[in-house]
């Protein structure tokens, strides 16, 4: 197996479960969560060599995951209206920070790594959410 294939396999093994949790929270009931994750990972696999040359492979794949979610987001009743509110009232990166850190329980460092950001960017997203939606419990997690 080529080194690139091993790298992609490791990337998939590490991120697929977290991508699935994120997509499950974002997509309506009765949508094909696994299809969005599979499409994202297939895109990453097809473009793996190019992605390796990019400044942040994780950020580029995260953008593809967001795109896949956006394609299915209006296909049925929301799973959680609170999450719909987050994405309608906040910038996407702030909403993602709240979803990952507060709803899915990821630490700031893990959320940042998953989205291809630096931890201060996730902290800034949480601060933005706190200002825009003060009723949210977006305090810092350890």
């Amino acid at each position: 197996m080529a080194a690139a294939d091993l790298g992609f396999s490791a990337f998939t093994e590490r991120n697929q479960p977290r991508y699935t949790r994120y997509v499950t929270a974002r997509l309506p009931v009765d949508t094909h969560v696994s299809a969005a994750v599979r499409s994202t990972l297939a895109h990453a696999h097809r473009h793996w060599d190019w992605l390796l040359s990019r400044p942040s492979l994780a950020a580029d794949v995260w953008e593809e995951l967001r795109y896949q979610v956006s394609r299915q987001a209006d296909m049925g009743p929301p799973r959680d209206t609170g999450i719909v509110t987050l994405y309608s009232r906040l910038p996407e990166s702030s909403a993602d920070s709240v979803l990952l850190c507060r709803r899915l329980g990821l630490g700031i460092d893990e959320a940042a790594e998953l989205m291809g950001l630096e931890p201060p960017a996730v902290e800034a997203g949480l601060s933005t959410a706190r200002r825009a939606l003060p009723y949210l419990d977006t305090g810092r997690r350890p």
Side-chain angles (χ1 to χ4, degrees), residues 31-115:
T31 54
H32 297 288
V33 168
S34 61
V37 175
R38 271 195 321 270
S39 293
T40 299
L41 293 172
H43 171 84
H45 191 251
R46 279 191 311 276
H47 302 286
W48 191 247
D49 290 335
W50 175 76
L51 287 166
L52 289 172
S53 72
R54 304 278 297 151
S56 178
L57 177 149
D60 290 333
V61 178
W62 188 256
E63 285 302 313
E64 179 64 22
L65 184 64
R66 283 179 172 165
Y67 169 73
Q68 293 299 329
V69 166
S70 73
R71 292 181 60 216
Q72 296 185 51
D74 297 325
M75 297 179 84
R79 208 175 288 274
D80 182 335
T81 56
I83 291 174
V84 173
T85 300
L86 287 177
Y87 285 89
S88 67
R89 306 239 345 250
L90 294 172
E92 196 167 36
S93 62
S94 292
D96 282 348
S97 295
V98 172
L99 177 58
L100 293 172
C101 294
R102 303 300 161 247
R103 296 291 186 100
L104 300 181
L106 274 62
I108 289 172
D109 290 343
E110 185 178 2
E113 179 262 325
L114 186 64
M115 292 189 289

